Amino acid sequence: MNWASAALVTLAGGMVLGSALGVSLLRATGSGAGAVLSDRLGYVLSRFVTLDPSEKAARLIQVPGWVDGTLDVTAALVFLSVLYVAFRSPRDRLMPTEDDEARLRTLLDRHGERDSLGYFALLRGKAAVMGASEEARE
């Protein structure tokens, strides 16, 4: 799974879990007694995206301040989780073996004059995979 897919899965999972938490909190506090599930879900999602819910949601649902605070913190945690997954270090990914590194050095010796950034392919923190046509891919 690449970084973009992992970030999207993290975002979707966080939104689902955060929405379930928010709707449960609204139901537990008795907020929005006349509101249906879609109204509560809309309120929670609008709190995730903005700091001020729509007028319709604000009219239907009155919540204690701590519920809004909990929803804001949950949204911030989801956002930070997505950032972490998207920008984490490649250390836990497939790293080149000594054989791969030797093949990369041979490739750079052969074609290095055309690749001014070839040095960076040999850095230890860089993930590289040798293709079937003896081309290095990141």
Side-chain angles (χ1 to χ4, degrees), residues 14-100:
M15 291 297 282
V16 167
L17 291 175
S19 297
L21 172 72
V23 169
S24 299
L25 282 174
L26 291 179
R27 189 170 288 184
T29 58
S31 304
V36 294
L37 178 63
S38 62
D39 293 330
R40 289 184 178 127
L41 186 60
Y43 181 85
V44 170
L45 292 177
S46 69
R47 286 300 297 191
F48 276 8
V49 178
T50 66
L51 292 177
D52 193 24
S54 67
E55 286 184 35
K56 178 185 174 193
R59 271 187 285 120
L60 286 174
I61 300 172
Q62 301 295 321
V63 297
W66 66 269
V67 172
D68 280 339
T70 302
L71 293 176
D72 293 341
V73 169
T74 303
L77 289 175
V78 169
F79 178 72
L80 291 174
S81 298
V82 170
L83 285 179
Y84 172 75
V85 169
F87 296 113
R88 67 182 169 204
S89 170
R91 291 181 194 268
D92 59 342
R93 299 181 192 149
L94 180 64
M95 300 303 287
T97 63
E98 288 183 21
D99 183 47
D100 289 336

